[in-house]
């Protein structure tokens, strides 16, 4: 998304003019909502002291001294990270420090240490240059994936590399600001996010990053409002400028007018009121006033999210993406590594259920083997990859089965487009069971098996699949892309990527009706599940489980608990009669405004839906 100027407002004069003559016009910068909440305050534009690296040849005599410097830098970086972990543990009161533990592991990676030592000796180059090269090589591998989830993790690598280089060049870590500020940065590392908390940070906004970055996850768990991906925020905003950070809508309002400030103060009060009201709902069931019950669960990837997920009143994890397990090694994780990850999430969530999705590699996601494809989204991805890699697939299935002894794991296959694929996947699943049985290894034999419905052919074959599985989970992120032939990651056509396109709504209805006719339940784990504008519609279509970004659970529960199922069904009928996306969105927005006026200003922007 690009930062943009609200069309009804004049553009701020270019920087660099005469300061006093600068007219402080209100501007809206558009980003992504990474952590909820709204704050108003002065900006602090954070520029990290970058370290520069130049290549230098060493004489034979200098080699030992360079190795000594490297050893000292590693020690210092370790000490710093240990301190951050201690601070994170005290401050976060959760497992969030795991991010830094992973960074320490990265820092102390034996292969990295060996490679650096060997290269200093053999190539006789300075340590900073080689550190830079080694980390860049690793990063390039992750960036090649083109998947936001994995490319965001490169921020962790940068963080470790910068820390090590800073330690080597004896530069100070600089993350100290005075007074309450909204921190504006190009990108924030998880360490910055935590360390800024020593000061009175009101919120965070970054040019880069997505809502799945570690810094965003931390901001959510720290309950600090955050907007990410606001492209030119650091160029547009100056330290001291007044800003409003709207973490609900993903907006930064620069130089807000007195009217806008008053409007937002009202919004902050309303958020507090709503939060207080929603907090009371955490322990209550998600049931409509006329007694229709649905499940709300979370999309999560890391065990350190569990505490937050449960605190939101989640009934389980509706989508546990497993792809992240393969990023660090650039290859498939071992069965044992996977077993540890799956057991730990299942045990932490127990007795709530966890739906583990088998590797959905390829497409826009991480690919274990770099292979250039003209149309990766239509190429070797999801279940297709795993069926071509039976050994790796079996290892994953065995790991999931072994972890299932807790009895709260369900399994789900992504990108299924035909029955043959499902049969083959199930055959591997049965074979994995037989292998474990032969070894006397226990597992949950009654584990539910489901598929993602995210390819149009699976929608049309819903009746066939409903006979063959226990549940469906609709993946609207991909279903919209494939149904409308609109790449979900292409900036040029974001306006055509319409989750409320009438065909998408009809497809969802067809899947739910068909599954129900066969006595099967249906969840939805695309981003649409956490969009309040779609809640009444999805409820009315009969969706059984909504899985979403955890922070949206209380809001969605609040909506469902105040909507009669009978009314939602009638509303869904009305929506199904719409012929265009615009018509549909108007109807959804007006119903939402009418029923939930207190939420409307938070989720409906300038009278139009921001989806
Ligand atoms: C989806 O496609 O809606 C989905 C949840 O899966 P992913 O975003 O991981 O492709
Ligand atoms: Mg998908």
């Amino acid at each position: 998304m690009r930062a943009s100027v609200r069309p009804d407002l004049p553009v701020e004069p270019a920087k660099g003019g005469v300061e006093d003559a600068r007219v402080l016009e209100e501007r809206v910068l558009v980003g992504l909502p990474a952590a909820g909440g709204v704050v108003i305050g002065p900006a602090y534009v954070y520029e990290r002291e970058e370290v520069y690296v130049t290549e230098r040849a060493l004489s034979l005599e200098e080699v030992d001294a360079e190795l000594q410097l490297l050893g000292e830098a590693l020690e210092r970086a370790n000490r710093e990270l240990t301190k951050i972990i201690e601070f994170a543990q005290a401050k976060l009161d959760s497992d969030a420090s795991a991010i830094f533990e992973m960074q320490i592991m990265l820092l102390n990676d034996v292969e990295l240490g060996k490679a650096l030592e060997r290269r200093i000796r053999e190539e006789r180059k300075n340590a900073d240059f080689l550190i830079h090269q080694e980390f860049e090589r690793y990063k390039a591998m992750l960036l090649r994936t083109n998947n936001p989830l994995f490319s965001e993790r490169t921020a962790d690598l940068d963080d470790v590399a910068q820390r090590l280089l800073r330690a080597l060049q004896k530069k100070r870590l600089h993350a100290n600001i005075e007074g309450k500020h909204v921190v504006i940065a190009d990108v924030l590392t998880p360490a910055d996010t935590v360390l800024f908390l020593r000061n009175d940070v009101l919120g965070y906004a970054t040019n880069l990053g997505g809502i799945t970055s570690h810094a965003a996850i931390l901001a959510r768990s720290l309950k600090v409002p955050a907007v990410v991906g606001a492209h030119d925020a650091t160029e547009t905003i100056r330290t001291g400028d007044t800003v409003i950070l709207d973490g609900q809508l993903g907006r930064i309002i620069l130089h807000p007018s007195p009217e806008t400030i008053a409007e937002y103060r009202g919004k902050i009060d309303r958020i507090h009121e709503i939060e207080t009201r929603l907090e009371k709902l955490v322990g209550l069931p998600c049931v409509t006033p006329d007694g229709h019950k649905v499940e709300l669960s979370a999309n999560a990837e890391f065990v350190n999210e569990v505490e937050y997920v449960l605190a939101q009143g989640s009934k389980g994890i509706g989508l546990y993406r497993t792809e992240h397990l393969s990023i660090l090694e650039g290859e498939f994780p071992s069965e044992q590594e996977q077993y540890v990850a799956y057991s730990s999430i299942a045990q932490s969530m127990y007795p709530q259920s966890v739906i583990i999705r088998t590797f959905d590699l390829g497409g826009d996601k991480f690919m274990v083997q770099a292979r250039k494809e003209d149309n990766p989204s239509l190429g070797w991805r999801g279940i297709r990859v795993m069926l071509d890699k039976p050994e790796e697939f079996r290892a994953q299935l065995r790991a999931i089965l072994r972890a299932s002894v807790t009895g709260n794991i369900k399994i789900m296959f992504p990108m299924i487009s035909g029955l043959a694929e499902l049969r083959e996947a199930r055959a591997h699943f049965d074979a994995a069971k037989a292998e474990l049985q032969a070894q006397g290894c226990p597992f949950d034999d009654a584990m539910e098996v489901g598929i993602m419905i995210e390819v149009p052919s699976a929608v049309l074959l819903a009746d066939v699949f409903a006979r063959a599985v226990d549940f469906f989970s609709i993946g609207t992120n991909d279903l919209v892309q494939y149904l409308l032939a609109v790449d979900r990651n292409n900036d040029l056509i974001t306006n055509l990527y319409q989750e409320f396109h009438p065909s998408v709504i009809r497809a969802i209805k067809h899947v739910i009706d068909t599954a129900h006719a066969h006595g099967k339940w249906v969840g939805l784990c695309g981003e649409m599940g956490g969009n309040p504008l779609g809640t009444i519609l999805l409820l009315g279509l009969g969706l059984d489980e909504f899985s979403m970004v955890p922070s949206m659970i209380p809001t969605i529960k609040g909506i469902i608990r105040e909507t009669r199922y009978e009314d939602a069904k009638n509303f869904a009928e009305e929506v199904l009669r719409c012929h265009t996306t615009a018509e549909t969105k108007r109807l959804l927005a007006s119903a939402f405004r009418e029923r939930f006026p207190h939420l409307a200003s938070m989720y409906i922007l300038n009278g139009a839906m921001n989806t």
Side-chain angles (χ1 to χ4, degrees):
M1 231 182 282
R2 291 208 53 74
S4 68
V5 179
R6 214 156 74 179
D8 51 336
L9 294 168
V11 179
E12 185 185 48
K15 274 189 194 177
V18 182
E19 180 71 17
D20 292 340
R22 199 163 70 113
V23 184
L24 301 180
E25 296 287 0
E26 181 175 298
R27 278 189 72 163
V28 179
L29 308 188
V30 179
L32 301 167
V38 172
V39 283
I40 306 175
Y44 176 90
V45 182
Y46 171 54
E47 279 166 41
R48 200 139 34 118
E49 194 191 3
E50 293 299 330
V51 281
Y52 296 98
V53 172
T54 44
E55 183 176 355
R56 196 163 49 83
L58 302 177
S59 66
L60 191 58
E61 295 73 49
E62 285 175 311
V63 166
D64 282 343
E66 197 68 12
L67 287 170
Q68 163 108 10
L69 280 178
L70 174 67
E72 285 166 9
L74 277 165
E75 255 175 51
R76 183 174 155 194
N78 262 300
R79 275 198 307 275
E80 283 177 5
L81 271 172
T82 311
K83 262 201 218 148
I84 294 173
I85 291 174
E86 281 165 15
F87 186 74
Q89 278 167 345
K91 196 81 194 175
L92 299 170
D93 193 25
S94 81
D95 204 13
S97 57
I99 291 169
F100 304 110
E101 279 153 18
M102 194 195 79
Q103 290 196 358
I104 271 205
M105 271 166 53
L106 221 58
L107 183 69
N108 296 315
D109 185 286
V110 185
E111 292 309 315
L112 173 75
K114 271 199 226 149
L116 287 172
E117 204 183 314
R118 180 181 46 76
R119 292 187 63 189
I120 291 175
R121 283 189 200 286
E122 287 173 8
E123 296 174 35
R124 280 206 241 140
K125 297 258 171 69
N126 51 323
D128 10 13
F129 176 70
L130 296 176
I131 290 170
H132 174 72
Q133 272 204 338
E134 284 295 313
F135 275 89
E136 285 303 305
R137 190 177 58 79
Y138 207 172
K139 238 174 72 183
M141 193 183 79
L142 288 190
L143 285 172
R144 263 201 308 273
T145 65
N146 245 345
N147 173 12
L149 183 67
F150 297 121
S151 47
E152 277 156 16
R153 297 293 177 265
T154 60
D156 284 331
L157 283 174
D158 274 338
D159 202 13
V160 178
Q162 287 279 323
R163 184 173 306 285
L164 189 53
L165 288 171
R166 238 182 265 131
L168 197 71
Q169 299 183 359
K170 303 201 166 46
K171 289 201 167 145
R172 288 196 56 73
L173 188 74
H174 152 74
N176 238 335
I177 55 170
E178 297 291 325
K180 293 191 177 197
H181 282 88
V182 175
V183 174
I184 317 282
D186 190 38
V187 64
L188 279 176
T189 66
D192 293 331
T193 317
V194 172
L195 287 176
F196 273 129
L197 282 182
R198 290 181 305 192
N199 315 99
D200 285 326
V201 167
L202 295 171
Y204 297 113
T206 60
N207 294 343
L208 304 174
I211 49 179
T212 49
S213 64
H214 274 149
I217 292 169
L218 279 174
R220 285 196 286 278
S221 92
L222 293 163
K223 296 209 168 23
V224 179
V227 172
V228 296
H231 288 259
D232 359 359
T234 52
E235 276 126 60
T236 318
I237 303 171
R238 300 178 197 190
T239 294
D241 282 348
T242 301
V243 292
I244 297 175
L245 186 89
D246 185 339
Q248 316 282 125
L249 284 175
R251 301 287 186 272
I252 308 158
I253 295 120
L254 173 61
H255 307 314
S257 66
E259 296 77 42
T260 307
I261 291 184
E263 186 194 313
Y264 265 91
R265 288 209 191 286
K267 183 166 176 174
I268 292 171
D269 290 343
R270 279 197 307 280
I271 290 176
H272 287 319
E273 268 168 45
I274 291 168
E275 272 176 2
T276 319
R277 215 184 316 161
L278 290 177
E279 269 167 25
K280 300 197 183 106
L281 301 183
V282 166
L284 299 177
C286 185
V287 62
T288 64
D290 49 349
H292 179 74
K293 204 161 176 290
V294 293
E295 298 289 4
L296 298 189
S297 46
N299 295 350
E301 273 135 65
F302 302 101
V303 74
N304 60 15
E305 290 177 271
V306 165
E307 197 178 320
Y308 179 66
V309 162
L310 292 174
Q312 304 309 302
S314 173
K315 274 294 159 206
I317 291 182
L319 170 63
Y320 175 75
R321 291 182 171 99
T322 54
E323 296 83 61
H324 74 276
L325 294 170
S326 44
I327 64 160
L328 281 179
E329 301 304 325
E331 57 190 34
F332 285 96
S334 70
E335 178 181 327
Q336 184 60 18
E337 278 167 321
Q338 293 184 62
Y339 165 69
V340 170
Y342 306 149
S343 320
S344 104
I345 195 105
Q347 279 164 19
S348 322
M349 283 301 292
Y350 188 82
Q352 318 287 11
S353 67
V354 179
I355 302 182
I356 300 183
R357 183 177 73 181
T358 58
F359 292 126
D360 183 14
L361 302 163
D364 61 330
K365 298 200 172 83
F366 183 68
M367 181 43 75
V368 173
Q369 280 164 353
R371 247 174 82 151
K372 176 119 182 59
E373 294 179 76
D374 283 344
N375 284 308
S377 292
L378 302 180
W380 200 48
R381 72 163 287 195
I383 198 70
R384 302 167 186 179
V385 175
M386 297 319 290
L387 294 179
D388 286 348
K389 293 190 162 289
E391 224 172 278
E392 287 83 355
F393 194 31
R394 288 273 179 93
Q396 181 173 40
L397 297 173
R398 277 195 307 270
I400 295 172
L401 280 163
R402 281 168 56 200
S404 73
V405 281
T406 39
N408 60 334
I409 291 183
K410 300 178 173 57
I411 189 169
M412 172 159 84
F413 301 119
M415 278 293 291
I416 294 282
S417 60
L419 187 61
E421 279 166 343
L422 174 63
R423 284 194 176 140
E424 210 180 324
R426 286 204 80 136
H428 283 296
F429 188 57
D430 291 340
K433 280 184 175 180
E435 283 161 16
L436 291 178
Q437 238 150 12
Q439 292 164 8
C441 188
F443 57 86
D444 175 12
D445 200 19
M447 188 197 299
E448 283 189 37
V449 177
I451 56 168
M452 299 270 307
I453 301 280
E454 52 186 346
V455 180
S457 59
V459 173
L460 295 171
L461 288 176
D463 59 326
V464 174
F465 286 122
R467 291 188 188 92
V469 292
D470 300 304
F471 68 91
F472 289 155
S473 187
I474 305 175
T476 44
N477 303 346
D478 275 313
L479 186 58
V480 171
Q481 134 162 300
Y482 294 129
L483 212 46
L484 306 182
V486 176
D487 183 343
R488 67 194 256 191
N489 291 318
N490 186 336
D491 276 359
L492 294 174
I493 45 173
T494 41
N495 60 326
L496 296 178
Y497 185 89
Q498 298 162 352
E499 59 181 356
F500 294 117
H501 191 283
S503 64
V504 174
I505 297 168
R506 288 181 190 200
I508 295 173
K509 178 183 166 47
H510 176 72
V511 171
I512 296 175
D513 288 350
T514 311
H516 287 177
H518 290 83
K520 303 294 159 73
W521 64 269
V522 182
L524 188 150
C525 61
E527 293 306 305
M528 191 177 187
N531 184 345
L533 279 311
T535 309
I536 308 173
L537 168 67
L538 293 175
L539 175 71
L541 289 174
L543 189 69
D544 302 293
E545 182 229 31
F546 294 59
S547 191
M548 67 198 76
V549 38
S551 59
M552 286 312 295
I553 291 175
T555 307
I556 303 296
K557 190 193 273 185
I559 294 172
I560 292 174
R561 285 183 57 92
E562 286 180 36
T563 307
R564 284 174 47 80
Y565 184 44
E566 282 308 313
D567 292 348
K569 281 203 281 193
N570 292 335
F571 178 66
E573 287 299 324
E574 209 182 322
V575 176
L576 282 161
R577 287 194 286 274
C578 291
H579 288 178
T580 65
T581 307
E583 202 187 329
T584 310
K585 282 163 100 176
R586 269 197 304 276
L587 184 57
L588 294 178
S590 74
F592 192 72
R593 212 179 284 115
E594 193 183 303
R595 288 160 192 256
F596 301 99
H598 57 295
L599 291 177
S601 65
M602 259 179 273
Y603 296 105
I604 301 178
L605 191 67
N606 297 338
M609 285 168 55
N610 59 318
T611 54

